[in-house]
Amino acid sequence: MNSMEQKRSDFALQQINAGMNGTNSISSDLATFIVGTPTMILQNGLGQTMAFLLAKCPGEQHSGNKHYFTFNAIAQWIRQINKKISTEPMDFFNSVSNLDQQDYLKLQDEALKMLQWLKRYAKAFQKGE
């Protein structure tokens, strides 16, 4: 049986692999953005950070967008932790805003722990300058 750290690592690696779009690396821009995301969560909270990420997505053009990539990775991980939370943006925000404080903070902590792995893999597979 895998530990939670192994599950987080595996999930983050799958996300980075999806972000490679058939190449062997991810863009430096995406890697740098991922590295800064935990700080946003610590400063603003999970809900506000997720709203910011979604607000920066240009309409329905989500493919290749660093903000949507990060929003989607966090939402999918939170969905794995709490099956009642949807990854569809409106349902996601409705679900998260109705959580009690303890459950909200647990999900925020899980997002931060997964992002540590996402950061590691983003830097490992970042395109060379």
Side-chain angles (χ1 to χ4, degrees), residues 19-51:
M20 289 182 183
N21 295 323
T23 66
N24 290 327
S25 62
I26 64 167
S27 71
S28 295
D29 187 41
L30 176 57
T32 301
F33 186 77
I34 290 168
V35 168
T37 304
T39 302
M40 280 193 276
I41 292 174
L42 290 170
Q43 290 177 342
N44 303 307
L46 177 65
Q48 287 188 5
T49 298
M50 295 296 277

Side-chain angles (χ1 to χ4, degrees), residues 56-76:
K56 291 294 185 176
C57 297
E60 295 298 317
Q61 300 295 330
H62 298 312
S63 180
N65 180 282
K66 65 186 176 185
H67 297 91
Y68 187 76
F69 175 88
T70 308
F71 172 89
N72 192 50
I74 296 168
Q76 285 186 37

